[in-house]
Amino acid sequence: MSAPPLSTPPHELPLALQWSIHLARDRRRSEHTVRAYRATAERLVAFLGEHWGEAVDRAALLRVSAGDLRAYLAQRRGRGLGNASAARELSAVRGFLDWAGGAGAAPRLKGPRVKKGMPRPISPDEAVALATDVMEESDEPWVAARDWAVLLLLYGAGLRIGEALGLTGAVLPLGETLRVTGKRDRTRIVPLLAPVRAAVEDYARLTPWPLTRDAALFRGVRGGTLDGGIVRARVRAARARLGLSDRTTPHALRHSFATHLLGRGADLRALQELLGHASLSSTQVYTGVDAAHLLDVYRNAHPRG
């Protein structure tokens, strides 16, 4: 789509573009978020135009019903959209409709939910969707960067939430590994994937608080050490918006880190080291792998197993 002439009055710009300008200028959303939400708005407007057989302007958006949204989501689901992504799509649509018609303009519609059952790790798509949703709920860029970095440390490095929030400015500048102090003051070395390292560095660049060696790395809005309860509350709100199971907690991200590594053939001893576990049974709890399979992996990984 070609950009409109610079002389075009703001109110004559395409609706999706007007909304993206609002998100970037007034809500200070990230470039990635603005691009994704604009694409959602463009898809919705195009769908409604075909669905109704008429041009869609701002006034027309006030007529959008729950049935229209169900039809839109059905089309998107038919093209392979998963539960978490469909829930994020619905969240973006609601924001667009509320912007167009005022708070509460979007019709009430229950989003897709993940079936509840036995504890299970969340999928990579759900983990990224969760972290992204938490990040996007903040209007402060440094807070958004902080939340993204904390959740990536849980999912991308397997840290406990207390371990992540216990990091100090002494870890900077980051290298390819991170020294973590866990339970009973045991220390371990974990590798830092490039996206995780970049997330922490981005937060360190944006935070308004001085990151001295002895001070907490992750800060609350008043400058004190970030409280784990705040992270948990943000995750609870995000999983509700995304329709994820109530078992989707910050700890579930660490649980998923372990499960995904083991499922991809990670050495069990190496996994125990990464998680900071002293016993095989502890690793079994986190990975959710049945004991028989875990013992098979152990026997294959250890010549004297």
Side-chain angles (χ1 to χ4, degrees):
M1 177 183 295
S2 59
L6 295 177
S7 59
T8 303
H11 66 277
E12 293 183 8
L13 295 173
L15 288 171
L17 179 55
Q18 289 185 48
W19 189 45
S20 70
I21 292 172
H22 163 72
L23 291 173
R25 182 189 61 202
D26 303 326
R27 299 296 302 279
R28 292 183 289 179
R29 297 303 199 196
S30 70
E31 181 180 347
H32 169 78
T33 298
V34 171
R35 185 168 56 249
Y37 278 28
R38 177 181 173 181
T40 295
E42 289 172 340
R43 283 192 294 267
L44 177 67
V45 170
F47 169 81
L48 291 174
E50 295 180 3
H51 189 57
W52 291 339
E54 62 184 66
V56 177
D57 57 15
R58 194 161 184 162
L61 291 178
L62 296 175
R63 295 192 285 110
V64 174
S65 67
D68 294 326
L69 292 189
R70 276 193 289 268
Y72 171 71
L73 287 179
Q75 181 195 76
R76 297 287 291 139
R77 294 299 293 270
R79 295 176 180 177
L81 208 64
N83 273 9
S85 296
R88 279 183 51 74
E89 185 100 348
L90 180 57
S91 177
V93 164
R94 286 178 180 138
F96 177 53
L97 295 177
D98 283 346
W99 164 81
R108 302 178 70 87
L109 179 66
K110 193 173 183 179
R113 297 192 62 84
V114 175
K115 292 182 180 179
K116 297 181 180 181
M118 296 297 290
R120 67 174 185 84
I122 62 178
S123 70
D125 175 66
E126 290 170 340
V128 173
L130 180 75
T132 302
D133 191 271
V134 171
M135 174 185 67
E136 290 173 349
E137 279 302 299
S138 175
D139 290 334
E140 286 288 343
W142 78 269
V143 174
R146 178 200 69 189
D147 294 346
W148 175 255
V150 169
L151 295 181
L152 282 200
L153 281 170
L154 273 54
Y155 179 64
L159 270 60
R160 300 176 177 92
I161 188 170
E163 294 170 344
L165 301 186
L167 296 174
T168 68
V171 302
L172 302 173
L174 295 173
E176 294 186 354
T177 60
L178 182 67
R179 180 180 293 274
V180 179
T181 300
K183 292 183 177 180
R184 301 183 182 87
D185 290 328
R186 288 196 299 265
T187 61
R188 67 185 189 277
I189 304 296
V190 298
L192 283 180
L193 299 174
V196 179
R197 186 166 60 249
V200 177
E201 289 172 342
D202 189 45
Y203 158 73
R205 178 176 57 82
L206 293 173
T207 181
W209 307 105
L211 297 178
T212 59
R213 291 185 59 82
D214 296 330
L217 175 62
F218 294 111
R219 308 292 190 86
V221 293
R222 296 182 180 177
T225 301
L226 178 61
D227 187 89
I230 293 176
V231 179
R232 294 184 183 93
R234 289 174 181 265
V235 168
R236 281 197 300 271
R239 78 186 181 214
R241 288 189 294 270
L242 297 177
L244 298 175
S245 164
D246 59 8
R247 299 179 186 275
T248 304
T249 63
H251 197 70
L253 294 174
R254 169 175 157 90
H255 178 68
S256 301
F257 164 83
T259 304
H260 299 160
L261 281 182
L262 192 60
R264 295 173 187 271
D267 177 83
L268 190 58
R269 273 192 186 281
L271 183 58
Q272 286 183 262
E273 290 289 333
L274 289 175
L275 292 172
H277 288 161
S279 68
L280 186 66
S281 60
S282 294
T283 306
Q284 179 184 341
V285 170
Y286 281 102
T287 58
V289 179
D290 63 89
H293 176 65
L294 194 61
L295 288 173
D296 286 341
V297 174
Y298 177 74
R299 293 189 185 102
N300 292 330
H302 195 293
R304 296 184 181 180

